[in-house]
Amino acid sequence: MRAAFLVKYGASQTAFEVRETEKPSLSPDQVMIKVAAFGLNFADVMARLGLYKAAPPLPAILGYDVVGHIEECGSNISGLKVGDRVVALTRFGGYAEYAVAEEAMAHKIPETFSAGIAVALATQYSTAYFLSHTMANLQEGDRVLVHAAAGGVGTALVQMALLKKCMVFGTCSSVEKMEYLKKLGVHHPINYKKNDFEKEIRLLNKDVGLDVIFDPVGGTSVRKGFRLLGAGGRILTFGVSSMNKNTSFFGKLKVLFQFGIYHPIQFLGGSKGMIGVNMLKVGEERPDKVANAMKAVIQMTEKGDLNPFVGAEYNIELLAEAHQFLESRKSMGKIVVKW
């Protein structure tokens, strides 16, 4: 089979090589999927830059989400069969023509779902569901801030918050993304490159505290967000995208200090909370929670409650360009790469 290997850290143009390699081995609890397409995630960019500790050593096959048809089932598989069209989460190995996934991480999907919609559900929408429904427990009327709201997870979080009838603030970085957020239904889109989001929200909200903040950016964004929380408010951090522009040792150290220093008494005194979410870790220790999230978002999409947006599709020959586009922060929605 062919697979796109990460062979060198750094710029996308020199980082990948498509090589012939052996198919992955199949365990009794896994299915073998002939991959039609895989999705890109910002964690892939961080891994390419050498900033993601959980990534395998070089040469490595990245990739967390794939869509395709099952070609082979392990001896313990009972709920899936050869020929089923599935979307699946992989623990790396997704940038390949064949990938294996645990049965709990592979779910049947309609043939009507496009490849982009399918892989968006596996990662971005499952992550958003876990963040919004399980960890944040959004309630009607909550004041919610979504950072990077035009991205894949951001789009999903906005849609889920609106379904819960929350008031939504969303940050983005361009006029085009501002228009996109307005079409999504964001009540208060904010271009953080033109306006300080903390000051904007204080004015818009008349100093009433926020209930929930979803932050994949990290650094000063978290510190400002914590100040915006009201009683009972919580901030959920699920990434550090600000690190990709600070790859040196001192740059990383700077970002870490920008988060701020906190003590439990601050949480107690202000009745505020801070939660970190690493979906790879959740999948390792509680795969049932990820599986439940995947089932939920597939059902919600079939009902028409969710509408994943596919921002761009690339062929495998343009993997470097796809990575560059995601890293540029110009992308909106999900990016998918097809074989």
Side-chain angles (χ1 to χ4, degrees):
M1 71 169 189
R2 290 182 300 164
F5 282 84
L6 176 66
V7 296
K8 180 182 179 181
Y9 295 129
S12 61
Q13 290 84 353
T14 57
F16 297 103
E17 286 183 10
V18 176
R19 301 175 175 176
E20 287 288 339
T21 188
E22 296 295 320
K23 286 184 182 180
S25 58
L26 185 68
S27 76
D29 297 312
Q30 293 178 326
V31 293
M32 177 80 71
I33 302 165
K34 182 172 175 53
V35 177
F38 58 87
L40 296 192
N41 302 285
F42 208 83
D44 297 351
V45 173
M46 300 298 279
R48 172 171 55 78
L49 296 173
L51 299 174
Y52 195 43
K53 290 184 178 180
L58 301 184
I61 304 175
L62 305 180
Y64 302 100
D65 46 24
V66 300
V67 58
H69 289 84
I70 294 178
E71 188 164 286
E72 186 180 351
C73 292
S75 57
N76 292 339
I77 302 300
S78 59
L80 298 168
K81 65 182 185 301
V82 172
D84 282 344
R85 186 173 188 245
V86 295
V87 63
L89 285 172
T90 61
R91 197 185 187 287
F92 304 107
Y95 287 20
E97 288 184 307
Y98 289 89
V100 295
E102 302 295 324
E103 183 175 19
M105 297 293 103
H107 297 268
K108 286 190 283 190
I109 55 169
E111 294 287 346
T112 53
F113 280 10
S114 72
I117 285 175
V119 290
L121 293 176
T123 43
Q124 278 79 8
Y125 276 73
S126 294
T127 297
Y129 185 91
F130 184 76
L131 288 165
S132 61
H133 286 64
T134 304
M135 302 303 289
N137 190 23
L138 291 181
Q139 303 293 311
E140 182 175 341
D142 278 350
R143 296 170 293 270
V144 177
L145 168 60
V146 180
H147 284 294
V153 179
T155 294
L157 285 168
V158 167
Q159 291 180 2
M160 291 178 190
L162 291 174
L163 280 172
K164 290 279 188 177
K165 298 181 180 179
C166 299
M167 176 177 286
V168 181
F169 301 79
T171 65
C172 63
S173 59
S174 69
V175 173
E176 293 79 11
K177 290 184 178 182
M178 289 281 285
E179 291 303 314
Y180 173 75
L181 294 187
K182 289 175 184 176
K183 289 178 181 177
L184 274 182
V186 173
H187 300 97
H188 301 291
I190 300 169
N191 186 336
Y192 68 84
K193 287 195 171 182
K194 290 187 175 180
N195 300 294
D196 184 292
F197 76 85
E198 183 182 7
K199 293 179 181 177
E200 283 289 300
I201 290 173
R202 288 194 185 282
L203 288 172
L204 291 167
N205 228 14
K206 297 181 172 56
D207 275 335
V208 176
L210 295 174
D211 297 293
V212 180
I213 299 173
F214 298 107
D215 191 318
V217 180
T220 56
S221 177
V222 170
R223 190 169 72 245
K224 290 181 176 182
F226 189 76
R227 292 197 294 256
L228 286 170
L229 291 175
R234 54 269 188 217
I235 184 168
L236 291 87
T237 64
F238 57 101
V240 194
S241 65
S242 58
M243 192 78 80
N244 80 311
K245 293 184 178 179
N246 297 274
T247 56
S248 69
F249 172 77
F250 290 106
K252 295 176 188 176
L253 202 61
K254 178 182 177 182
V255 172
L256 292 176
F257 277 113
Q258 286 174 340
F259 272 87
I261 299 173
Y262 304 90
H263 190 279
I265 201 69
Q266 290 174 268
F267 304 140
L268 178 63
S271 191
K272 301 179 181 182
M274 188 176 290
I275 303 169
V277 174
N278 179 335
M279 289 301 286
L280 194 62
K281 188 69 173 176
V282 175
E284 287 176 352
E285 296 190 10
R286 292 299 304 271
D288 57 308
K289 290 187 178 293
V290 179
N292 289 337
M294 288 180 70
K295 289 176 186 175
V297 296
I298 290 170
Q299 291 171 358
M300 293 168 78
T301 303
E302 288 184 289
K303 288 171 58 181
D305 290 337
L306 297 176
N307 182 27
F309 176 71
V310 181
E313 294 185 354
Y314 291 85
N315 290 326
I316 187 63
E317 293 80 7
L318 299 175
L319 176 60
E321 285 84 347
H323 255 256
Q324 190 173 19
F325 184 46
L326 179 59
E327 186 180 5
S328 72
R329 300 179 188 272
K330 294 178 181 178
S331 65
M332 294 181 278
K334 182 67 173 179
I335 298 176
V336 62
V337 179
K338 295 182 175 181
W339 286 102

